[in-house]
Amino acid sequence: MTMPTQQLFTRLTTVHRPDCDLVADDGVLPAAVPDPAQMAAALGSAAAAAYADECRPLYEDLRRIVGQIAGLAILAQLTGSADVAGLDELESCRRRWSAAAGRLGRLTAPPALAAHRAQIEAAHVFSGRALGTFPQIRPRGDNEAAFDAIARLVRRAYAHLSAASAPRAGLEMVDMTHACCSCGR
């Protein structure tokens, strides 16, 4: 027996509520942060370590944003519903993206890390473009062009963020602490 589309949509959107600790803007448990002296030794300079420390929250936000956008696009495509545009999760993702813009504006890279900052900036730009595509999804319409655009933009954002990954600096794409989709809340 197949589930009606609206019921499926509602079920899929409630795996994590917007106030869930795993996706809350201010409720995420911080990852272990290395000692600044250890970071400087691992990265070669105190300036690089300071940059990595400043970059880490921005990188984490962008990682979550890219994941949320991909998940919401899959949800919209799977259910054939334009209701994704009105979800609290999409608005939460937009707020996180806007906050990331502020962090990005304050991020100063040492000259040797300017290319790294450019990758972070590109990931932010392409994830913002993907977010801007959601309003193009129409109820009972042909949304393949919008889904294709979102997928292309998410791939670009992911590629730039992957290029900015630096495990020694604590900037890694895979973090299994947020992998569970059934937090029980």
Side-chain angles (χ1 to χ4, degrees), residues 46-56 107-110 113 116-118 120:
Y51 170 79
D53 194 46
E54 188 180 350
C55 186
R56 191 176 302 106
L107 183 64
T108 304
L113 294 171
H116 182 272
R117 188 190 183 288
I120 295 289

Side-chain angles (χ1 to χ4, degrees), residues 81-106:
S81 175
D83 294 341
V84 169
L87 288 177
D88 290 341
E89 288 82 1
L90 185 60
E91 184 54 36
S92 172
C93 189
R94 285 185 180 120
R95 283 191 308 271
R96 188 182 301 272
W97 185 86
S98 293
R103 280 194 176 116
L104 183 59
R106 295 185 300 274

Side-chain angles (χ1 to χ4, degrees), residues 10-100:
T10 302
R11 180 170 178 252
L12 290 172
T13 62
T14 56
V15 173
H16 284 297
R17 295 186 341 221
D19 62 342
C20 173
D21 286 343
L22 292 179
V23 295
D25 291 336
D26 59 358
V28 177
L29 297 174
V33 178
D35 176 346
Q38 292 173 332
M39 283 285 287
L43 299 176
S45 75
Y51 170 79
D53 194 46
E54 188 180 350
C55 186
R56 191 176 302 106
L58 174 59
Y59 180 91
E60 292 299 319
D61 279 345
L62 289 171
R63 199 169 51 100
R64 287 186 182 98
I65 290 164
V66 169
Q68 282 181 299
I69 294 169
L72 289 167
I74 290 168
L75 176 66
Q77 195 165 22
L78 178 68
T79 62
S81 175
D83 294 341
V84 169
L87 288 177
D88 290 341
E89 288 82 1
L90 185 60
E91 184 54 36
S92 172
C93 189
R94 285 185 180 120
R95 283 191 308 271
R96 188 182 301 272
W97 185 86
S98 293

